Amino acid sequence: MCKQLGSFSLLHYCYLNLLSGADVNIWDAIRTLNTLQTNASYLDQVKRQRNDPQEQLAAMKVFLERSGLQVEDLDQLNIIHVTGTKGKGSTCAFTEKILRNCGLKTGFYSSPHLVQVRERICINGQPISKELFSKYFWQVYNRLEETKNEGLFSMPPYFRFLTIMAFHVFLQEKVDLAVLEVGIGGAYDCTNIIRKPVVCGVSSLGIDHTAILGDTIEKIAWQKGGIFKPGVPALTVPQPAGPLEVLKQRAQEIGCPLYMCPDLAEYEEEDISLRLGLAGDHQKTNASLALQLAQMWLQQQDWQGIGECKQRQQHPPVKWPLPMASAFRPTIPMVKGLQDTVWLGRTQVLQHGPISYYIDGAHTSSSIKACVKWFQQMALNEEKAEMGSVVRVLVFNATGERDTAALLKLLHPCDFDYAVFCPNISEVSGVGIADQQNYNVTLENVLTRCLENQKKWNLLMEERGCSDPWGSSLPVDSLIRGSPRGTPLLLAPSSERLLNCNSLVFPCISHALQWATQGRDPDFPCLDTNLLHHHNPVASSGSILLREAAHIQVLITGSLHLVGGALKLLDQSLTQ
């Protein structure tokens, strides 16, 4: 144990000895897993492989073989492989729940995780246990350690490692099928090492990860279509004409039969009304794709529980460049599967006393548009039912290469009273769980990004005629230094007169939510009164308004990692 702990202090060692064996093992496993985030050789590898992306899959094959598996072994998993820009996770969640309801033992690999890394590898809808995670982590890690060399590819990076580990888990636990969500893109994503999925799906396409996938939706569609396999049926949803044509061409080149999913309403009849466990009109498209993926899988595997084919309803003809998949009469397990699907962090609402948290990990233009439509409808319905004033607060962060100005502009119609920006850090005290640690960024970097996002919001507000004179442009180090007790607080105004328009920056999610709720959340009390009464005029006047409001609506969006950090604070059951 001492050797494994390395430079950790005696205090940490004593703490670990107080934990159960399972807790110690998984803590040490996650800590070791996190070291793969900062694999310097991998960063060099990515730079090189952008010019030769095929090398990514070649490297993945080597890692898989070193872990003790051959690519041929993955044929046993009866995989449903799903890609897309928006909705691929929700589609996978619907699909998994439908097939689990049919009596099948399911595996589900997704990313990213929200609170605990075990969420990425689920069996029968539940994250694998701490014991199983530790068991399979060390099996795979030790095999890779034993076979590594001094070359460039000694250990796989974080996502590749977890993908390999998921394959081991699903094979050893003998799942009937595995629903596999693509990480980024498709053609060169490490999940695409599989040779013979049972069926593939492509959810709604949009612009994201342009540095890797290309700067047009057609280039992105080419990457997504890379998961198609010869003779393996694939399904997609209505797409813009350009990317849809690219998908069609990719399917023809590869020899993959590709079909278009019908509208969800076409599955309904007088005695069948489909209700979805996930809110938002956009989920109807995902649900239709999930129904087709499940139906196709059951047909291909000659499994019971297939929906009954029915005569297509007569609608005005729509000319698609693809053949239309047939609507069918869903079975009871299918209907109940759609209704009972849960996918945390997506169009999720938490009610805590007078506080309503609207939580959605939207992080692309198309997903933010869907989020805004959902939030406006839900918040308006709630506001009509309230007796008294309602205050709206946006809590936002975005990471990577995303155009935050474009995302924030889409959020403006929601009429927020306050906009709060913070990094994807749950608590500045360092109290938290190793699952959410990110060693690829520094505190200074993420706070600088928050300040930039705030400035973009303020400029948008200025265009709308905001006249609040308070600026908020202190250097990042003044935010990091924080209070005399060493706890960073929100940014105070500076002499630079950049219009603030009721926007604030906090150094962590906990501080942002404590200020936004003013201690009125019975399940998330404010522990630092300095956050409630601060010398920043925006924070001070906002505190009064928030305390006197009959109801507070908080929208948390822009990043799945932000959503995960918020859920860790707001739903303690997720950290158990």
Side-chain angles (χ1 to χ4, degrees):
M1 173 63 74
C2 291
K3 182 178 180 181
Q4 288 177 332
L5 290 177
S7 61
F8 274 63
S9 66
L10 180 62
L11 179 62
H12 285 95
Y13 178 73
C14 293
Y15 169 71
L16 287 175
N17 278 299
L18 291 173
L19 300 175
S20 69
D23 287 338
V24 172
N25 289 337
I26 193 168
W27 192 93
D28 203 19
I30 293 170
R31 171 179 166 265
T32 305
L33 173 66
N34 286 345
T35 65
L36 301 180
Q37 294 180 26
T38 52
N39 189 332
S41 63
Y42 172 63
L43 298 179
D44 292 334
Q45 173 188 339
V46 168
K47 293 176 183 177
R48 293 192 308 104
Q49 290 179 348
R50 282 180 180 172
N51 297 323
D52 186 11
Q54 187 62 42
E55 190 176 335
Q56 296 179 40
L57 291 180
M60 181 65 179
K61 182 179 178 181
V62 172
F63 287 132
L64 183 73
E65 291 173 348
R66 284 175 47 201
S67 77
L69 290 178
Q70 299 296 317
V71 175
E72 293 79 5
D73 296 329
L74 306 185
D75 297 346
Q76 305 171 39
L77 288 176
N78 301 322
I79 290 170
I80 297 173
H81 203 194
V82 182
T83 189
T85 306
K86 181 182 70 173
K88 66 180 186 291
S90 299
T91 298
C92 288
F94 279 129
T95 306
E96 185 277 333
K97 181 58 175 172
I98 290 170
L99 292 172
R100 179 157 37 106
N101 273 12
C102 292
L104 294 154
K105 184 176 182 179
T106 62
F108 181 11
Y109 178 61
S110 63
S111 62
H113 62 276
L114 295 179
V115 179
Q116 300 192 61
V117 69
R118 294 184 292 118
E119 299 165 22
R120 294 183 183 229
I121 305 174
C122 290
I123 294 179
N124 283 338
Q126 295 297 316
I128 59 173
S129 66
K130 293 179 180 180
E131 291 79 9
L132 281 182
F133 186 92
S134 299
K135 170 186 172 181
Y136 290 113
F137 174 86
W138 289 116
Q139 281 183 5
V140 174
Y141 188 87
N142 289 336
R143 285 171 185 162
L144 289 166
E145 271 286 316
E146 292 165 1
T147 57
K148 74 178 183 180
N149 54 45
E150 299 302 319
L152 188 61
F153 310 114
S154 60
M155 290 294 286
Y158 191 93
F159 183 73
R160 289 189 191 180
F161 182 94
L162 286 172
T163 305
I164 293 169
M165 180 175 160
F167 290 144
H168 278 271
V169 171
F170 296 151
L171 285 167
Q172 291 298 313
E173 296 300 313
K174 295 181 170 55
V175 298
D176 294 318
L177 69 123
V179 179
L180 211 63
E181 179 189 1
V182 167
I184 296 177
Y188 305 115
D189 184 77
C190 65
T191 63
N192 205 32
I193 193 173
I194 62 172
R195 305 183 314 162
K196 296 179 179 179
V198 175
V199 62
C200 297
V202 182
S203 67
S204 298
L205 297 179
I207 300 291
D208 198 19
H209 300 295
T210 54
I212 299 173
L213 305 180
D215 56 1
T216 69
I217 194 170
E218 287 78 15
K219 291 178 181 178
I220 291 170
W222 188 94
Q223 294 280 352
K224 305 291 184 180
I227 70 167
F228 297 158
K229 301 294 186 296
V232 174
L235 296 136
T236 190
V237 298
Q239 311 278 7
L244 189 59
E245 183 61 30
V246 172
L247 290 179
K248 178 184 176 182
Q249 292 174 2
R250 286 285 267 165
Q252 290 174 342
E253 292 166 1
I254 294 171
C256 160
L258 178 62
Y259 303 92
M260 176 72 68
C261 291
D263 188 271
L264 188 65
E266 295 196 28
Y267 301 88
E268 297 185 324
E269 295 179 354
E270 289 184 3
D271 60 336
I272 296 180
S273 178
L274 298 180
R275 297 181 180 179
L276 305 183
L278 305 182
D281 288 342
H282 59 288
Q283 295 294 356
K284 295 178 181 178
T285 302
N286 300 328
S288 176
L289 177 55
L291 281 171
Q292 289 292 336
L293 290 171
Q295 175 85 341
M296 188 71 75
W297 189 94
L298 292 166
Q299 287 177 338
Q300 295 290 314
Q301 297 298 109
D302 195 23
W303 204 277
Q304 293 182 351
I306 300 173
E308 299 176 15
C309 293
K310 67 177 186 178
Q311 194 73 24
R312 176 170 298 284
Q313 299 178 31
Q314 295 301 314
H315 297 290
V318 177
K319 291 186 178 180
W320 293 107
L322 301 176
M324 182 70 70
S326 297
F328 54 87
R329 180 184 174 88
T331 62
I332 292 176
M334 289 177 172
V335 173
K336 197 169 187 318
L338 291 178
Q339 180 178 323
D340 295 343
T341 297
V342 175
W343 192 226
L344 295 179
R346 287 79 169 178
T347 58
Q348 182 180 358
V349 182
L350 294 178
Q351 297 286 356
H352 289 194
I355 316 295
S356 295
Y357 298 99
Y358 294 86
I359 302 171
D360 191 73
H363 52 273
T364 67
S365 293
S366 56
S367 59
I368 287 287
K369 288 177 183 176
C371 172
V372 167
K373 184 178 180 181
W374 161 74
F375 172 74
Q376 285 182 314
Q377 185 61 57
M378 295 288 290
L380 181 60
N381 291 342
E382 181 181 59
E383 197 168 328
K384 289 178 179 177
E386 284 295 331
M387 300 295 292
S389 63
V390 176
V391 177
R392 290 185 181 180
V393 181
L394 169 67
V395 178
F396 180 89
N397 191 41
T399 59
E401 64 199 26
R402 295 180 175 90
D403 183 354
T404 52
L407 301 183
L408 291 170
K409 189 172 184 178
L410 293 171
L411 288 161
H412 260 266
C414 294
D415 294 326
F416 294 104
D417 297 288
Y418 294 94
V420 173
F421 302 90
C422 63
N424 302 333
I425 300 170
S426 290
E427 299 173 85
V428 291
S429 63
V431 175
I433 53 178
D435 304 69
Q436 294 185 322
Q437 290 177 345
N438 183 351
Y439 298 122
N440 288 329
V441 294
T442 66
L443 179 60
E444 182 177 0
N445 287 341
V446 295
L447 288 175
T448 298
R449 181 66 178 268
C450 290
L451 287 169
E452 291 171 352
N453 291 342
Q454 185 198 30
K455 288 182 178 180
K456 291 170 183 175
W457 177 266
N458 291 344
L459 290 172
L460 288 169
M461 290 295 288
E462 184 177 2
E463 292 174 3
R464 295 181 59 182
C466 172
S467 59
D468 192 323
W470 294 102
S472 193
S473 303
L474 282 182
V476 171
D477 59 354
S478 64
L479 178 58
I480 297 175
R481 285 197 300 271
S483 68
R485 294 200 312 274
T487 302
L489 298 176
L490 62 108
L491 236 64
S494 73
S495 58
E496 182 181 340
R497 293 177 62 83
L498 175 66
L499 293 180
N500 186 295
C501 304
N502 291 352
S503 66
L504 297 166
V505 172
F506 289 88
C508 69
I509 301 168
S510 178
H511 284 188
L513 293 180
Q514 287 182 47
W515 179 82
T517 58
Q518 290 293 303
R520 300 179 62 189
D521 182 341
D523 301 315
F524 183 63
C526 184
L527 303 178
D528 191 340
T529 56
N530 287 321
L531 291 171
L532 305 185
H533 310 285
H534 200 268
H535 61 272
N536 185 318
V538 172
S540 180
S541 62
S543 296
I544 297 172
L545 189 64
L546 289 163
R547 284 196 298 271
E548 293 179 350
H551 203 85
I552 301 172
Q553 298 172 332
V554 182
L555 174 63
I556 305 170
T557 193
S559 166
L560 278 169
H561 300 287
L562 175 72
V563 161
L567 285 174
K568 172 187 175 293
L569 299 168
L570 299 174
D571 188 348
Q572 294 301 312
S573 67
L574 298 177
T575 62
Q576 300 305 311

PDB file of all heavy atoms in Angstrom, residues 265-290:
ATOM      1  N   ALA A 265     -45.073   9.633 -33.849  1.00  0.00           N
ATOM      2  CA  ALA A 265     -46.535   9.530 -33.861  1.00  0.00           C
ATOM      3  C   ALA A 265     -47.015   8.334 -34.677  1.00  0.00           C
ATOM      4  O   ALA A 265     -48.120   7.826 -34.445  1.00  0.00           O
ATOM      5  CB  ALA A 265     -47.140  10.813 -34.412  1.00  0.00           C
ATOM      6  N   GLU A 266     -46.203   7.870 -35.621  1.00  0.00           N
ATOM      7  CA  GLU A 266     -46.629   6.765 -36.477  1.00  0.00           C
ATOM      8  C   GLU A 266     -46.670   5.429 -35.752  1.00  0.00           C
ATOM      9  O   GLU A 266     -47.224   4.456 -36.272  1.00  0.00           O
ATOM     10  CB  GLU A 266     -45.722   6.673 -37.709  1.00  0.00           C
ATOM     11  CG  GLU A 266     -45.838   7.879 -38.627  1.00  0.00           C
ATOM     12  CD  GLU A 266     -45.253   7.620 -40.003  1.00  0.00           C
ATOM     13  OE1 GLU A 266     -45.247   6.447 -40.422  1.00  0.00           O
ATOM     14  OE2 GLU A 266     -44.809   8.583 -40.637  1.00  0.00           O
ATOM     15  N   TYR A 267     -46.072   5.353 -34.565  1.00  0.00           N
ATOM     16  CA  TYR A 267     -46.132   4.105 -33.789  1.00  0.00           C
ATOM     17  C   TYR A 267     -47.408   4.045 -32.944  1.00  0.00           C
ATOM     18  O   TYR A 267     -47.741   2.994 -32.403  1.00  0.00           O
ATOM     19  CB  TYR A 267     -44.936   3.993 -32.845  1.00  0.00           C
ATOM     20  CG  TYR A 267     -43.586   4.025 -33.530  1.00  0.00           C
ATOM     21  CD1 TYR A 267     -42.943   5.232 -33.782  1.00  0.00           C
ATOM     22  CD2 TYR A 267     -42.956   2.850 -33.916  1.00  0.00           C
ATOM     23  CE1 TYR A 267     -41.698   5.271 -34.392  1.00  0.00           C
ATOM     24  CE2 TYR A 267     -41.714   2.872 -34.534  1.00  0.00           C
ATOM     25  CZ  TYR A 267     -41.096   4.092 -34.769  1.00  0.00           C
ATOM     26  OH  TYR A 267     -39.869   4.122 -35.381  1.00  0.00           O
ATOM     27  N   GLU A 268     -48.071   5.184 -32.796  1.00  0.00           N
ATOM     28  CA  GLU A 268     -49.209   5.252 -31.880  1.00  0.00           C
ATOM     29  C   GLU A 268     -50.501   4.818 -32.570  1.00  0.00           C
ATOM     30  O   GLU A 268     -50.674   4.988 -33.772  1.00  0.00           O
ATOM     31  CB  GLU A 268     -49.347   6.673 -31.318  1.00  0.00           C
ATOM     32  CG  GLU A 268     -48.151   7.103 -30.482  1.00  0.00           C
ATOM     33  CD  GLU A 268     -48.360   8.465 -29.836  1.00  0.00           C
ATOM     34  OE1 GLU A 268     -48.978   9.323 -30.484  1.00  0.00           O
ATOM     35  OE2 GLU A 268     -47.913   8.655 -28.693  1.00  0.00           O
ATOM     36  N   GLU A 269     -51.391   4.268 -31.766  1.00  0.00           N
ATOM     37  CA  GLU A 269     -52.730   3.921 -32.205  1.00  0.00           C
ATOM     38  C   GLU A 269     -53.697   4.323 -31.109  1.00  0.00           C
ATOM     39  O   GLU A 269     -53.291   4.881 -30.079  1.00  0.00           O
ATOM     40  CB  GLU A 269     -52.818   2.413 -32.495  1.00  0.00           C
ATOM     41  CG  GLU A 269     -51.938   1.975 -33.664  1.00  0.00           C
ATOM     42  CD  GLU A 269     -52.027   0.485 -33.927  1.00  0.00           C
ATOM     43  OE1 GLU A 269     -52.676  -0.220 -33.125  1.00  0.00           O
ATOM     44  OE2 GLU A 269     -51.451   0.036 -34.928  1.00  0.00           O
ATOM     45  N   GLU A 270     -54.962   4.040 -31.306  1.00  0.00           N
ATOM     46  CA  GLU A 270     -55.962   4.464 -30.330  1.00  0.00           C
ATOM     47  C   GLU A 270     -55.672   3.901 -28.941  1.00  0.00           C
ATOM     48  O   GLU A 270     -55.904   4.555 -27.934  1.00  0.00           O
ATOM     49  CB  GLU A 270     -57.359   4.033 -30.793  1.00  0.00           C
ATOM     50  CG  GLU A 270     -57.870   4.817 -31.996  1.00  0.00           C
ATOM     51  CD  GLU A 270     -59.287   4.435 -32.359  1.00  0.00           C
ATOM     52  OE1 GLU A 270     -59.877   3.595 -31.627  1.00  0.00           O
ATOM     53  OE2 GLU A 270     -59.802   4.957 -33.363  1.00  0.00           O
ATOM     54  N   ASP A 271     -55.166   2.678 -28.901  1.00  0.00           N
ATOM     55  CA  ASP A 271     -54.898   2.048 -27.602  1.00  0.00           C
ATOM     56  C   ASP A 271     -53.437   2.119 -27.199  1.00  0.00           C
ATOM     57  O   ASP A 271     -53.028   1.519 -26.206  1.00  0.00           O
ATOM     58  CB  ASP A 271     -55.350   0.589 -27.621  1.00  0.00           C
ATOM     59  CG  ASP A 271     -54.616  -0.226 -28.690  1.00  0.00           C
ATOM     60  OD1 ASP A 271     -54.135   0.383 -29.661  1.00  0.00           O
ATOM     61  OD2 ASP A 271     -54.526  -1.451 -28.532  1.00  0.00           O
ATOM     62  N   ILE A 272     -52.617   2.830 -27.971  1.00  0.00           N
ATOM     63  CA  ILE A 272     -51.193   2.977 -27.643  1.00  0.00           C
ATOM     64  C   ILE A 272     -50.818   4.445 -27.700  1.00  0.00           C
ATOM     65  O   ILE A 272     -50.857   5.070 -28.765  1.00  0.00           O
ATOM     66  CB  ILE A 272     -50.291   2.191 -28.621  1.00  0.00           C
ATOM     67  CG1 ILE A 272     -50.552   0.684 -28.499  1.00  0.00           C
ATOM     68  CG2 ILE A 272     -48.828   2.483 -28.337  1.00  0.00           C
ATOM     69  CD1 ILE A 272     -49.699  -0.142 -29.436  1.00  0.00           C
ATOM     70  N   SER A 273     -50.486   5.012 -26.546  1.00  0.00           N
ATOM     71  CA  SER A 273     -49.986   6.381 -26.461  1.00  0.00           C
ATOM     72  C   SER A 273     -48.596   6.334 -25.847  1.00  0.00           C
ATOM     73  O   SER A 273     -48.408   5.798 -24.753  1.00  0.00           O
ATOM     74  CB  SER A 273     -50.926   7.230 -25.594  1.00  0.00           C
ATOM     75  OG  SER A 273     -50.419   8.542 -25.469  1.00  0.00           O
ATOM     76  N   LEU A 274     -47.615   6.846 -26.562  1.00  0.00           N
ATOM     77  CA  LEU A 274     -46.231   6.761 -26.109  1.00  0.00           C
ATOM     78  C   LEU A 274     -45.867   7.967 -25.249  1.00  0.00           C
ATOM     79  O   LEU A 274     -45.901   9.103 -25.708  1.00  0.00           O
ATOM     80  CB  LEU A 274     -45.296   6.677 -27.317  1.00  0.00           C
ATOM     81  CG  LEU A 274     -45.480   5.453 -28.219  1.00  0.00           C
ATOM     82  CD1 LEU A 274     -44.494   5.486 -29.364  1.00  0.00           C
ATOM     83  CD2 LEU A 274     -45.327   4.163 -27.422  1.00  0.00           C
ATOM     84  N   ARG A 275     -45.518   7.694 -24.008  1.00  0.00           N
ATOM     85  CA  ARG A 275     -45.026   8.728 -23.101  1.00  0.00           C
ATOM     86  C   ARG A 275     -43.543   8.490 -22.877  1.00  0.00           C
ATOM     87  O   ARG A 275     -43.112   7.351 -22.730  1.00  0.00           O
ATOM     88  CB  ARG A 275     -45.780   8.673 -21.770  1.00  0.00           C
ATOM     89  CG  ARG A 275     -47.266   8.962 -21.884  1.00  0.00           C
ATOM     90  CD  ARG A 275     -47.934   8.924 -20.529  1.00  0.00           C
ATOM     91  NE  ARG A 275     -49.359   9.197 -20.623  1.00  0.00           N
ATOM     92  CZ  ARG A 275     -50.194   9.217 -19.592  1.00  0.00           C
ATOM     93  NH1 ARG A 275     -49.714   8.962 -18.364  1.00  0.00           N
ATOM     94  NH2 ARG A 275     -51.468   9.472 -19.759  1.00  0.00           N
ATOM     95  N   LEU A 276     -42.801   9.570 -22.831  1.00  0.00           N
ATOM     96  CA  LEU A 276     -41.349   9.458 -22.715  1.00  0.00           C
ATOM     97  C   LEU A 276     -40.877   9.867 -21.328  1.00  0.00           C
ATOM     98  O   LEU A 276     -41.356  10.855 -20.761  1.00  0.00           O
ATOM     99  CB  LEU A 276     -40.661  10.329 -23.772  1.00  0.00           C
ATOM    100  CG  LEU A 276     -41.074  10.088 -25.228  1.00  0.00           C
ATOM    101  CD1 LEU A 276     -40.249  10.964 -26.157  1.00  0.00           C
ATOM    102  CD2 LEU A 276     -40.934   8.612 -25.604  1.00  0.00           C
ATOM    103  N   GLY A 277     -39.916   9.121 -20.811  1.00  0.00           N
ATOM    104  CA  GLY A 277     -39.347   9.454 -19.513  1.00  0.00           C
ATOM    105  C   GLY A 277     -38.440  10.658 -19.564  1.00  0.00           C
ATOM    106  O   GLY A 277     -38.088  11.222 -18.528  1.00  0.00           O
ATOM    107  N   LEU A 278     -38.024  11.069 -20.773  1.00  0.00           N
ATOM    108  CA  LEU A 278     -37.156  12.236 -20.952  1.00  0.00           C
ATOM    109  C   LEU A 278     -37.973  13.360 -21.567  1.00  0.00           C
ATOM    110  O   LEU A 278     -38.666  13.153 -22.572  1.00  0.00           O
ATOM    111  CB  LEU A 278     -35.962  11.895 -21.840  1.00  0.00           C
ATOM    112  CG  LEU A 278     -35.108  10.700 -21.378  1.00  0.00           C
ATOM    113  CD1 LEU A 278     -33.925  10.505 -22.311  1.00  0.00           C
ATOM    114  CD2 LEU A 278     -34.633  10.890 -19.945  1.00  0.00           C
ATOM    115  N   ALA A 279     -37.893  14.554 -20.974  1.00  0.00           N
ATOM    116  CA  ALA A 279     -38.699  15.688 -21.415  1.00  0.00           C
ATOM    117  C   ALA A 279     -38.096  16.352 -22.650  1.00  0.00           C
ATOM    118  O   ALA A 279     -36.904  16.230 -22.924  1.00  0.00           O
ATOM    119  CB  ALA A 279     -38.827  16.705 -20.282  1.00  0.00           C
ATOM    120  N   GLY A 280     -38.936  17.089 -23.367  1.00  0.00           N
ATOM    121  CA  GLY A 280     -38.480  17.849 -24.529  1.00  0.00           C
ATOM    122  C   GLY A 280     -38.947  17.224 -25.829  1.00  0.00           C
ATOM    123  O   GLY A 280     -38.883  16.002 -26.007  1.00  0.00           O
ATOM    124  N   ASP A 281     -39.397  18.079 -26.752  1.00  0.00           N
ATOM    125  CA  ASP A 281     -39.883  17.582 -28.043  1.00  0.00           C
ATOM    126  C   ASP A 281     -38.799  16.852 -28.826  1.00  0.00           C
ATOM    127  O   ASP A 281     -39.090  15.922 -29.589  1.00  0.00           O
ATOM    128  CB  ASP A 281     -40.425  18.746 -28.879  1.00  0.00           C
ATOM    129  CG  ASP A 281     -41.745  19.284 -28.348  1.00  0.00           C
ATOM    130  OD1 ASP A 281     -42.411  18.559 -27.571  1.00  0.00           O
ATOM    131  OD2 ASP A 281     -42.106  20.423 -28.698  1.00  0.00           O
ATOM    132  N   HIS A 282     -37.540  17.277 -28.648  1.00  0.00           N
ATOM    133  CA  HIS A 282     -36.451  16.656 -29.398  1.00  0.00           C
ATOM    134  C   HIS A 282     -36.260  15.186 -29.020  1.00  0.00           C
ATOM    135  O   HIS A 282     -35.672  14.411 -29.782  1.00  0.00           O
ATOM    136  CB  HIS A 282     -35.153  17.424 -29.183  1.00  0.00           C
ATOM    137  CG  HIS A 282     -34.712  17.514 -27.751  1.00  0.00           C
ATOM    138  ND1 HIS A 282     -35.364  18.300 -26.828  1.00  0.00           N
ATOM    139  CD2 HIS A 282     -33.704  16.910 -27.078  1.00  0.00           C
ATOM    140  CE1 HIS A 282     -34.766  18.184 -25.650  1.00  0.00           C
ATOM    141  NE2 HIS A 282     -33.766  17.339 -25.781  1.00  0.00           N
ATOM    142  N   GLN A 283     -36.763  14.790 -27.830  1.00  0.00           N
ATOM    143  CA  GLN A 283     -36.603  13.399 -27.417  1.00  0.00           C
ATOM    144  C   GLN A 283     -37.479  12.457 -28.228  1.00  0.00           C
ATOM    145  O   GLN A 283     -37.244  11.251 -28.261  1.00  0.00           O
ATOM    146  CB  GLN A 283     -36.916  13.255 -25.927  1.00  0.00           C
ATOM    147  CG  GLN A 283     -35.948  13.980 -24.994  1.00  0.00           C
ATOM    148  CD  GLN A 283     -34.535  13.406 -25.024  1.00  0.00           C
ATOM    149  OE1 GLN A 283     -34.281  12.404 -25.691  1.00  0.00           O
ATOM    150  NE2 GLN A 283     -33.631  14.038 -24.308  1.00  0.00           N
ATOM    151  N   LYS A 284     -38.485  12.989 -28.911  1.00  0.00           N
ATOM    152  CA  LYS A 284     -39.337  12.138 -29.743  1.00  0.00           C
ATOM    153  C   LYS A 284     -38.525  11.523 -30.879  1.00  0.00           C
ATOM    154  O   LYS A 284     -38.722  10.358 -31.246  1.00  0.00           O
ATOM    155  CB  LYS A 284     -40.508  12.951 -30.300  1.00  0.00           C
ATOM    156  CG  LYS A 284     -41.476  13.448 -29.228  1.00  0.00           C
ATOM    157  CD  LYS A 284     -42.586  14.296 -29.839  1.00  0.00           C
ATOM    158  CE  LYS A 284     -43.533  14.815 -28.757  1.00  0.00           C
ATOM    159  NZ  LYS A 284     -44.608  15.682 -29.325  1.00  0.00           N
ATOM    160  N   THR A 285     -37.624  12.313 -31.450  1.00  0.00           N
ATOM    161  CA  THR A 285     -36.755  11.794 -32.517  1.00  0.00           C
ATOM    162  C   THR A 285     -35.847  10.706 -31.979  1.00  0.00           C
ATOM    163  O   THR A 285     -35.663   9.656 -32.606  1.00  0.00           O
ATOM    164  CB  THR A 285     -35.921  12.943 -33.112  1.00  0.00           C
ATOM    165  OG1 THR A 285     -36.794  13.952 -33.620  1.00  0.00           O
ATOM    166  CG2 THR A 285     -35.028  12.441 -34.233  1.00  0.00           C
ATOM    167  N   ASN A 286     -35.270  10.945 -30.800  1.00  0.00           N
ATOM    168  CA  ASN A 286     -34.388   9.955 -30.190  1.00  0.00           C
ATOM    169  C   ASN A 286     -35.154   8.676 -29.860  1.00  0.00           C
ATOM    170  O   ASN A 286     -34.631   7.567 -30.010  1.00  0.00           O
ATOM    171  CB  ASN A 286     -33.752  10.526 -28.922  1.00  0.00           C
ATOM    172  CG  ASN A 286     -32.927  11.765 -29.187  1.00  0.00           C
ATOM    173  OD1 ASN A 286     -32.336  11.902 -30.256  1.00  0.00           O
ATOM    174  ND2 ASN A 286     -32.881  12.673 -28.238  1.00  0.00           N
ATOM    175  N   ALA A 287     -36.403   8.827 -29.399  1.00  0.00           N
ATOM    176  CA  ALA A 287     -37.210   7.666 -29.041  1.00  0.00           C
ATOM    177  C   ALA A 287     -37.547   6.819 -30.271  1.00  0.00           C
ATOM    178  O   ALA A 287     -37.537   5.579 -30.213  1.00  0.00           O
ATOM    179  CB  ALA A 287     -38.491   8.118 -28.346  1.00  0.00           C
ATOM    180  N   SER A 288     -37.848   7.470 -31.400  1.00  0.00           N
ATOM    181  CA  SER A 288     -38.132   6.730 -32.627  1.00  0.00           C
ATOM    182  C   SER A 288     -36.911   5.939 -33.078  1.00  0.00           C
ATOM    183  O   SER A 288     -37.015   4.764 -33.464  1.00  0.00           O
ATOM    184  CB  SER A 288     -38.578   7.695 -33.734  1.00  0.00           C
ATOM    185  OG  SER A 288     -38.774   6.997 -34.955  1.00  0.00           O
ATOM    186  N   LEU A 289     -35.743   6.576 -33.014  1.00  0.00           N
ATOM    187  CA  LEU A 289     -34.506   5.878 -33.374  1.00  0.00           C
ATOM    188  C   LEU A 289     -34.274   4.693 -32.438  1.00  0.00           C
ATOM    189  O   LEU A 289     -33.883   3.601 -32.886  1.00  0.00           O
ATOM    190  CB  LEU A 289     -33.326   6.852 -33.325  1.00  0.00           C
ATOM    191  CG  LEU A 289     -31.932   6.282 -33.612  1.00  0.00           C
ATOM    192  CD1 LEU A 289     -31.896   5.559 -34.952  1.00  0.00           C
ATOM    193  CD2 LEU A 289     -30.888   7.401 -33.567  1.00  0.00           C
ATOM    194  N   ALA A 290     -34.523   4.882 -31.154  1.00  0.00           N
ATOM    195  CA  ALA A 290     -34.330   3.799 -30.180  1.00  0.00           C
ATOM    196  C   ALA A 290     -35.273   2.633 -30.459  1.00  0.00           C
ATOM    197  O   ALA A 290     -34.881   1.460 -30.378  1.00  0.00           O
ATOM    198  CB  ALA A 290     -34.550   4.332 -28.768  1.00  0.00           C
TER     199      ALA A 290
END
